[in-house]
Amino acid sequence: MNILRANLKHLYQCRSLWFWYFIILCQFPLLLLPVSRWEFDRFLGYLVLSFLCGLLTAGLQMEILSKPFSFCLPGHRKIPRQFIFRTGFVVNGLLGLVFLAHPGLGFPYVLVGAFVGMVFYLLGALGGFRDMNRNPYLVLFPLVIFGSVFFESDRILQQMIISSPVQIIIVSALISWLFWVRLGREGLARQYCGKISLGILASPNYAKIKKIRHAEMVRRLGKKKTPFSDTVENFFQRRMSQRNFLSRGKCAWGHLYIVSGESLSVLRVRQLAMMFGLFVIILGYISKNGVALSNILFILPVILAGQLDLLPYRGILLPAGRGDRFYAAVISGLTITLLTTLAIAVIAFISILLEPVLPDITLKGHTFGYHAMNIRYCFVTLPLMPICFAIATLIPRRPVLKIILSIGLMYVCIGFYVAAMIGEIQFELIIPSVLMISWGISLLILRYVCMRRCLGGNG
Amino acid sequence: MNEAIVQMRKVRKRFGDIQALDNVDLDIYPGRIIGLVGANGSGKSTLLRHIIGLYLADEGDCVTFGCKAARLGASQLSRIGYVHQEGELLDWMTVRQLIRYISAYYKNWNSQLEERYISDFDISLKARVGSLSPGQRQKLAILLAMGFEPEFLILDEPASALDPIARAQFLDLLLGIIQDSTRTIIISSHILSDVEKVIDHLLIMKEGHLLRDCSFDELREEFCRLKVTSLNGALPAELPFAEIVDCTREEGRAVLVLRNYSQEKLEVQAQTLNCEIEIETLPLEELYKIVVTE
């Protein structure tokens, strides 16, 4: 089996990855749009695509290298490097063709474009070899793109390519050579062999994700100097001990403990407050028709809810029947929804207090004014979360499908939000019925899972 | 006889293309120590999970403590201890936190027993459950299942990840527990030499079918190994014993596995053949092979 076939076979077997290929394919028209519309002054969008291709190609190599005893395979040291570079040549050779659309630039510039693309591709490849849990690229990538476009650094690079093509080729070739040497090192395969890491391609593997999350949790809990988990434990234990044995109250508190205790135990309140503070301030300055982008916070909990299984550890036998589990899951879902909505309402309230205090900012001739969050959109979070809980509980072993459904739901909400903004729908009138429908559907799904489905193991 | 604590009638369960349980009929009476044996994928864990209501049958009924398994409530489940084959535990907790959490559910949690197990099994209370070795996890799971002294204990592959010393400790512990004649235990295991030391009843499964549901002594009495040694140098080509399951012959010597034998009859036949016989009971491993390959 040749290298290409071996890799393609691996890709084909991970069918859920096709979602990622689809996402990348969707980027092609967006990135090449300036060329098709004959806007020749900016056409380095293809570098983003090179970067993404590098990330995926290296991620695939990482998947193969991390298999037990992969270093015993013949040519194990050479194959990842060969595959990454060969794919890079093909991808960037094709993407470099965008230079042909620029008037006055001939075929040699395709070569320059391909070399520059190769550097971005290899940077992406570097990210593909990293653990996604601690991959700074994931956070930095959108920021870098946004910053580059805003500060027009792509124009500067584009000008450098056009004015000094030879120097750019030399620098790019040198960087590529460094990557070539690094990827050909002796211990590469042994370094990654058997390593449990959540690479970009691991996303469809439920068992792997679960294993990695727990390992990460144990690592983070072990590092904490003052175990917050003790406070969480004492809080729930006190409530459990106040309830009678075999009562639903004890079961509900115990259930809430195992649903939320894991996340609460590693909660870093100060870091979280800082993160949300920055989020609300920065996005408050980005607005359209006086509506701040920070309002997106109202629909972000779908990501939290979409990951939270209200029936965790289904295989553990506790003195709680299926009916008790249903009751406890509903109580947990309701509690988490109300607390999350309350937290967002508090953030929205703080943003209202900040509105008169924060000054306008002028950047490159544009003036940005701060806009507060609209607190009445809290009512969007309330019907949204139960639906996400229900999806996560219904398909706990299909992480990619959960993400797709959650994102789909977010788009529905954005549509709803836009319709509310332009006055097509009466927000206050529709919310009570949406609340009833969403909670009704969620309760039916939860009841079905608790009462009719097998729990644990193959179930 | 007491009323059965578990009654399964025509239980069928399918996972995709696999028929995990096929027309299983079973009664489990209190006080029995039952061994559940079978190859991987024969349906042992599926059967146990039906008993405690984690799995629901596609067809048929499963009743535990007089209640349909799907409707088992806290009062019934608080009487059952269960050691999970996959050792599903709350990985993010410390051992101490997990024990405290589980014990909070049970009124009859025995703290002295808990301390004894912790010291016998050498479990660190400060360790994170997720960082324990498979053997340590299994020990912890055993502690959690036994800590409240359940009247019905279900052990699904409890010793598979234990080292030989821990396995011996576990067997001692189990032998201690079975002194209480009111307790019912089902133990599913691949290590048949361990199982046969403690059980009095046997269930053998193959491809979702329950091949045998009998007392262990009954099965042992059904089969025997007969060593025949000729006193005059040669054995006849056809040996006159009925229901021979297996036969290995050397010159003047034969080792047979017989079914439904009678010792008196064998002795008479040996005299007529002018040979010496030795009758042995078969170990569970061999009995299992015979039943499964039949």
Side-chain angles (χ1 to χ4, degrees):
Chain A
M1 191 180 286
N2 63 27
I3 302 164
L4 183 65
R5 200 185 293 174
N7 277 279
L8 288 179
K9 193 178 169 196
H10 192 86
L11 282 178
Y12 179 73
Q13 283 170 344
C14 300
R15 307 229 173 140
S16 330
L17 288 176
W18 295 6
F19 168 66
W20 294 116
Y21 310 149
F22 175 72
I23 295 271
I24 287 187
L25 273 178
C26 290
Q27 311 303 315
F28 270 87
L30 286 174
L31 296 168
L32 300 176
L33 199 63
V35 179
S36 62
R37 291 173 63 194
W38 302 99
E39 291 174 5
F40 300 120
D41 60 331
R42 295 176 93 165
F43 51 89
L44 288 188
Y46 80 93
L47 295 178
V48 178
L49 209 55
S50 288
F51 183 89
L52 288 176
C53 287
L55 198 70
L56 268 185
T57 314
L60 174 62
Q61 297 310 306
M62 174 79 164
E63 277 286 292
I64 296 169
L65 285 173
S66 62
K67 298 259 181 283
F69 301 108
S70 61
F71 58 80
C72 299
L73 295 170
H76 66 269
R77 271 194 302 123
K78 301 280 188 282
I79 287 174
R81 180 170 72 177
Q82 279 181 17
F83 187 77
I84 288 171
F85 270 81
R86 282 183 195 181
T87 313
F89 290 144
V90 175
V91 167
N92 293 295
L94 288 172
L95 290 175
L97 290 173
V98 295
F99 277 76
L100 285 180
H102 195 285
L105 297 182
F107 188 75
Y109 279 94
V110 174
L111 194 68
V112 190
F115 264 98
V116 177
M118 194 68 185
V119 172
F120 279 80
Y121 170 86
L122 290 170
L123 281 171
L126 201 66
F129 276 107
R130 290 185 71 102
D131 187 339
M132 293 302 277
N133 275 352
R134 290 189 283 276
N135 200 335
Y137 286 147
L138 283 180
V139 183
L140 292 178
F141 187 55
L143 288 177
V144 168
I145 293 178
F146 182 77
S148 303
V149 173
F150 188 78
F151 293 105
E152 300 191 342
S153 51
D154 59 320
R155 273 189 214 275
I156 301 165
L157 180 62
Q158 194 175 298
Q159 200 50 48
M160 280 167 69
I161 292 170
I162 294 168
S163 59
S164 328
V166 180
Q167 288 89 328
I168 290 287
I169 287 182
I170 292 169
V171 172
S172 304
L174 194 69
I175 295 171
S176 302
W177 177 76
L178 286 173
F179 273 103
W180 175 265
V181 173
R182 184 161 170 73
L183 287 174
R185 67 189 187 277
E186 193 71 39
L188 181 82
R190 282 178 192 271
Q191 184 186 340
Y192 291 111
C193 180
K195 189 178 175 186
I196 304 170
S197 108
L198 188 62
I200 191 162
L201 303 182
S203 49
N205 190 335
Y206 171 75
K208 193 173 179 183
I209 289 176
K210 204 173 163 193
K211 207 170 171 184
I212 291 165
R213 279 202 184 141
H214 282 309
E216 177 70 7
M217 193 64 70
V218 168
R219 189 188 67 81
R220 282 171 67 182
L221 280 165
K223 275 174 78 176
K224 281 178 90 78
K225 284 175 192 157
T226 49
F228 187 51
S229 55
D230 287 352
T231 318
V232 175
E233 184 200 8
N234 290 335
F235 173 82
F236 284 107
Q237 282 287 351
R238 215 172 299 131
R239 264 107 204 127
M240 282 175 78
S241 61
Q242 285 163 0
R243 302 299 182 283
N244 291 332
F245 284 100
L246 310 182
S247 69
R248 282 202 159 164
K250 188 183 273 286
C251 175
W253 277 110
H255 196 86
L256 192 58
Y257 180 26
I258 56 169
V259 168
S260 60
E262 187 174 357
S263 312
L264 286 176
S265 298
V266 289
L267 194 71
R268 291 167 186 178
V269 182
R270 222 177 303 160
Q271 284 176 347
L272 208 67
M274 267 175 64
M275 197 183 81
F276 277 112
L278 278 173
F279 180 90
V280 169
I281 290 171
I282 293 169
L283 295 187
Y285 276 106
I286 306 168
S287 60
K288 185 91 177 168
N289 300 332
V291 180
L293 193 60
S294 50
N295 282 309
I296 201 168
L297 195 65
F298 291 113
I299 54 172
L300 275 186
V302 297
I303 301 197
L304 161 81
Q307 299 301 312
L308 208 65
D309 184 359
L310 286 183
L311 288 170
Y313 308 103
R314 300 171 189 210
I316 292 183
L317 190 71
L318 289 170
R322 285 172 173 266
D324 301 325
R325 286 189 191 222
F326 169 63
Y327 171 80
V330 172
I331 295 286
S332 302
L334 192 66
T335 311
I336 294 167
T337 304
L338 290 176
L339 289 178
T340 310
T341 311
L342 184 69
I344 296 172
V346 169
I347 294 171
F349 183 69
I350 293 170
S351 83
I352 293 168
L353 294 179
L354 285 174
E355 195 172 19
V357 182
L358 290 173
D360 289 355
I361 295 172
T362 305
L363 211 61
K364 295 187 81 180
H366 298 283
T367 303
F368 298 94
Y370 182 79
H371 291 91
M373 292 165 70
N374 190 339
I375 206 161
R376 71 186 186 136
Y377 289 131
C378 277
F379 291 107
V380 175
T381 315
L382 285 174
L384 204 59
M385 288 189 70
I387 292 280
C388 291
F389 282 138
I391 292 170
T393 309
L394 191 65
I395 45 168
R397 287 160 188 269
R398 296 185 185 274
V400 174
L401 192 59
K402 275 197 294 191
I403 292 171
I404 295 171
L405 289 173
S406 300
I407 291 172
L409 206 61
M410 273 176 81
Y411 275 106
V412 170
C413 286
I414 289 168
F416 177 76
Y417 171 72
V418 170
M421 251 173 49
I422 58 175
E424 292 259 320
I425 50 171
Q426 280 295 314
F427 192 76
E428 285 78 8
L429 287 179
I430 205 164
I431 277 295
S433 42
V434 170
L435 262 174
M436 278 200 291
I437 293 168
S438 74
W439 276 98
I441 292 171
S442 310
L443 290 180
L444 284 176
I445 293 176
L446 269 178
R447 192 177 151 71
Y448 163 73
V449 174
C450 291
M451 307 305 285
R452 304 232 174 247
R453 275 246 185 124
C454 290
L455 304 170
N458 295 329
Chain B
M1 189 177 269
N2 292 330
E3 200 186 333
I5 55 171
V6 176
Q7 291 172 311
M8 292 178 105
R9 296 288 173 266
K10 305 269 175 246
V11 170
R12 292 168 74 97
K13 180 74 187 174
R14 176 175 276 277
F15 293 115
D17 296 335
I18 300 161
Q19 188 71 49
L21 291 182
D22 200 0
N23 271 327
V24 172
D25 283 306
L26 174 68
D27 286 307
I28 294 175
Y29 292 96
R32 278 186 179 169
I33 315 293
I34 302 161
L36 175 60
V37 296
N40 286 331
S42 57
K44 303 188 297 291
S45 297
T46 307
L47 182 119
L48 297 179
R49 285 172 188 170
H50 272 82
I51 293 173
I52 51 177
L54 286 182
Y55 282 2
L56 301 176
D58 296 335
E59 286 171 44
D61 286 322
C62 179
V63 176
T64 306
F65 287 124
C67 181
K68 281 202 169 192
R71 297 188 180 279
L72 282 175
S75 55
Q76 290 92 20
L77 290 169
S78 64
R79 298 158 72 186
I80 307 173
Y82 174 55
V83 175
H84 202 277
Q85 186 188 12
E86 282 122 30
E88 191 175 349
L89 297 168
L90 304 166
D91 285 355
W92 51 277
M93 288 186 182
T94 60
V95 172
R96 184 196 58 76
Q97 284 172 332
L98 182 61
I99 295 174
R100 193 176 165 206
Y101 173 69
I102 300 287
S103 63
Y105 280 98
Y106 298 99
K107 198 175 185 178
N108 50 339
W109 185 266
N110 187 334
S111 301
Q112 284 175 332
L113 196 67
E114 173 198 320
E115 279 168 26
R116 208 190 92 202
Y117 287 168
I118 288 169
S119 113
D120 283 358
F121 285 155
D122 195 19
I123 303 171
S124 163
L125 288 172
K126 286 180 185 169
R128 289 268 160 219
V129 175
S131 63
L132 296 178
S133 67
Q136 291 279 342
R137 284 176 78 89
Q138 210 149 27
K139 289 174 188 174
L140 181 59
I142 291 166
L143 185 160
L144 295 171
M146 294 185 174
F148 58 100
E149 299 177 289
E151 63 179 88
F152 184 22
L153 188 58
I154 298 175
L155 306 165
D156 191 1
E157 299 285 353
S160 59
L162 300 182
D163 58 66
I165 295 170
R167 229 172 72 205
Q169 278 177 335
F170 171 66
L171 273 176
D172 284 346
L173 194 143
L174 206 58
L175 287 165
I177 290 171
I178 60 177
Q179 305 299 318
D180 179 356
S181 61
T182 58
R183 186 166 292 149
T184 314
I185 301 173
I186 301 188
I187 174 164
S188 139
S189 179
H190 287 298
I191 308 164
L192 302 185
S193 54
D194 286 353
V195 173
E196 74 179 326
K197 289 177 191 159
V198 289
I199 60 168
D200 57 26
H201 198 89
L202 189 69
L203 303 172
I204 300 179
M205 291 199 73
K206 186 185 178 185
E207 294 165 2
H209 295 274
L210 194 57
L211 294 183
R212 278 297 176 111
D213 173 8
C214 59
S215 96
F216 187 37
D217 286 341
E218 197 180 293
L219 190 70
R220 276 202 293 210
E221 282 163 16
E222 189 179 334
F223 297 93
C224 76
R225 181 182 287 121
L226 181 70
K227 289 181 178 169
V228 187
T229 312
S230 171
L231 296 174
N232 55 10
L235 283 170
E238 284 276 320
L239 291 168
F241 306 109
E243 296 201 57
I244 299 173
V245 178
D246 188 36
C247 176
T248 326
R249 296 181 66 133
E250 284 170 30
E251 197 152 327
R253 239 179 96 81
V255 180
L256 303 134
V257 175
L258 302 179
R259 165 186 253 166
N260 297 330
Y261 66 98
S262 142
Q263 194 166 341
E264 295 79 33
K265 206 173 163 187
L266 287 178
E267 277 163 5
V268 173
Q269 286 171 320
Q271 275 180 358
T272 54
L273 277 175
N274 193 22
C275 59
E276 200 177 71
I277 58 164
E278 197 182 328
I279 300 169
E280 289 176 1
T281 53
L282 291 173
L284 178 57
E285 200 164 324
E286 285 186 44
L287 290 169
Y288 167 72
K289 276 183 202 162
I290 293 166
V291 173
V292 169
T293 50
E294 261 181 335

